[in-house]
Amino acid sequence: MSRVLVTGGAGRLGRSVVTVLAEAGHEVVSVDRVEAPGLPAVQVVHELTDAAAAASLFAEHRPDAIVHLAGIPAPFSAPDEETFRTNTSLAVAVIAGAREAGIGAVLISSSPTVIGYGAPAGWRPSALPIDETHPLAPWTAYAAAKVAIEELVQAEVRAGAPLRLGLFRPCYVVSPEEWHGAPTQQGHTIADRLDDPALAAVSLFNYVDARDAGEFVLAWLARPDAAPNGSVFFVAAQDSLVREPVGEALARWVPETGGFAASLGPGEAVFSSAKAERLLGWRARRSWRTELVAGTKPAPMGGPTHA
Ligand SMILES: NC(=O)c1ccc[n+]([C@@H]2O[C@H](COP(=O)([O-])OP(=O)(O)OC[C@H]3O[C@@H](n4cnc5c(N)ncnc54)[C@H](O)[C@@H]3O)[C@@H](O)[C@H]2O)c1
């Protein structure tokens, strides 16, 4: 057992990450500006701002590792200036604070949007399925901030920092209550997303169950030195969030993938998590085909409350 501090632990992804870590026997401290009722963690309500404040918080709780999830979680959900400034300064504060407090390992959430799908000026994949070798081409302030955060991690590695650093790019996160009909990040339900493929086409039908993403975090924390320092991982379901064969859906809804779409098997994921499987032994276990609960009322959210 070890102690893990999760920033953004009260969020959509954070609640599942905290729960998976706690169920695996870790002692978890969640640091968030809000509290989530019933979260199996010590909850510290704190507005993460600067590195000095982060370092003293980390020094006080002395975690063995930090999982950094806090931030503005999607493009266009806040003004660009706020999104870029908030997300990059949070990452700077967490990395510098961890270094100063002598923390052993830090895992940071990035996003698949760094590769630039959906760019209004045009975008084509370099190959399908998409893996971590795909070129970066962000076209939103949110995605540009994630690229900057990935570069901050590489800078820390090049500077010879003693801490282990990792990055993961979770696909569209589906929390347990969303399988039961609770609204997703965009306000519609998962059933809506399947009924209208245009909704999920913008993110190439990618998704991951939040508990599977939590299990990825668990796997990384178990072996932070299994991959070169600063390695990045896509974290995706094994299939695509669309009813029809994904190659046909891509050809119809995302024609710019044409030429590559036929190379995908009918139920294959557009994003490959083969690197995480090879290096960490992790693969997503859950699929919309087994998790989606048709016609049920939303399960209790246990969502955040303002403390
Ligand atoms: N949800 C997705 O589909 C998705 C996909 C890819 C990447 N991500 C990334 O995963 C991470 C978590 O996303 P999420 O969907 O759980 O978002 P969320 O908004 O549900 O959770 C983020 C949490 O961070 C907290 N927070 C924000 N600013 C803070 C601050 N200054 N100090 C303390 N706490 C702060 C919020 O209160 C919230 O609880 C983000 O980095 C996001 O970019 C999410």
Side-chain angles (χ1 to χ4, degrees):
M1 187 195 73
S2 63
R3 180 177 300 180
V4 183
L5 186 148
V6 180
T7 75
R12 165 176 275 102
L13 174 56
R15 296 194 297 276
S16 283
V17 168
V18 166
T19 302
V20 168
L21 296 181
E23 283 172 355
H26 290 294
E27 198 181 297
V28 187
V29 179
S30 165
V31 177
D32 200 303
R33 52 159 69 127
V34 296
E35 261 184 27
L39 201 66
V42 172
Q43 297 198 57
V44 178
V45 175
H46 182 91
E47 178 81 31
L48 277 165
T49 43
D50 58 60
S56 64
L57 188 77
F58 300 160
E60 184 189 336
H61 291 278
R62 300 233 56 81
D64 300 294
I66 294 171
V67 180
H68 174 49
L69 309 176
I72 294 170
F76 312 122
S77 54
D80 282 356
E81 188 268 343
E82 185 186 338
T83 299
F84 194 86
R85 180 171 37 81
T86 302
N87 288 356
T88 52
S89 32
L90 275 168
V92 173
V94 168
I95 294 170
R99 189 199 315 121
E100 208 171 304
I103 307 302
V106 180
L107 177 64
I108 298 181
S109 55
S110 180
S111 160
T113 57
V114 293
I115 66 163
Y117 47 79
W123 175 83
R124 277 174 63 78
S126 61
L128 291 183
I130 291 163
D131 68 16
E132 292 82 355
T133 63
H134 196 284
L136 304 183
W139 66 272
T140 63
Y142 170 81
K146 292 297 192 187
V147 171
I149 291 165
E150 293 193 358
E151 281 303 319
L152 275 170
V153 166
Q154 303 317 321
E156 193 70 14
V157 171
R158 288 180 206 118
L163 74 168
R164 295 302 297 184
L165 288 152
L167 288 155
F168 71 117
R169 300 172 180 159
C171 287
Y172 187 77
V173 173
V174 184
S175 63
E177 62 271 14
E178 288 167 10
W179 296 123
H180 294 259
T184 62
Q185 198 180 52
Q186 277 68 37
H188 54 254
T189 66
I190 290 295
D192 293 337
R193 218 166 160 85
L194 284 161
D195 291 343
D196 179 1
L199 294 173
V202 292
S203 49
L204 308 179
F205 308 106
N206 77 33
Y207 78 107
V208 67
D209 183 289
R211 295 160 296 181
D212 280 329
E215 288 169 9
F216 168 84
V217 171
L218 186 65
W220 188 89
L221 290 172
R223 300 172 60 209
D225 50 2
N229 207 7
S231 289
V232 63
F233 295 91
F234 278 118
V235 169
Q238 294 291 314
D239 61 358
S240 293
L241 194 61
V242 64
R243 289 201 169 93
E244 63 194 290
V246 67
E248 289 171 28
L250 283 172
R252 176 134 62 98
W253 296 97
V254 196
E256 58 270 33
T257 59
F260 295 116
S263 61
L264 291 174
E268 206 175 332
V270 179
F271 288 82
S272 165
S273 301
K275 182 178 175 184
E277 182 160 11
R278 186 165 42 84
L279 294 176
L280 300 172
W282 173 87
R283 76 190 323 239
R285 296 191 292 130
R286 299 168 180 89
S287 159
W288 68 267
R289 294 167 203 279
T290 50
E291 298 302 320
L292 185 66
V293 182
T296 55
K297 291 239 180 304
M301 284 280 290
T305 53
H306 288 268

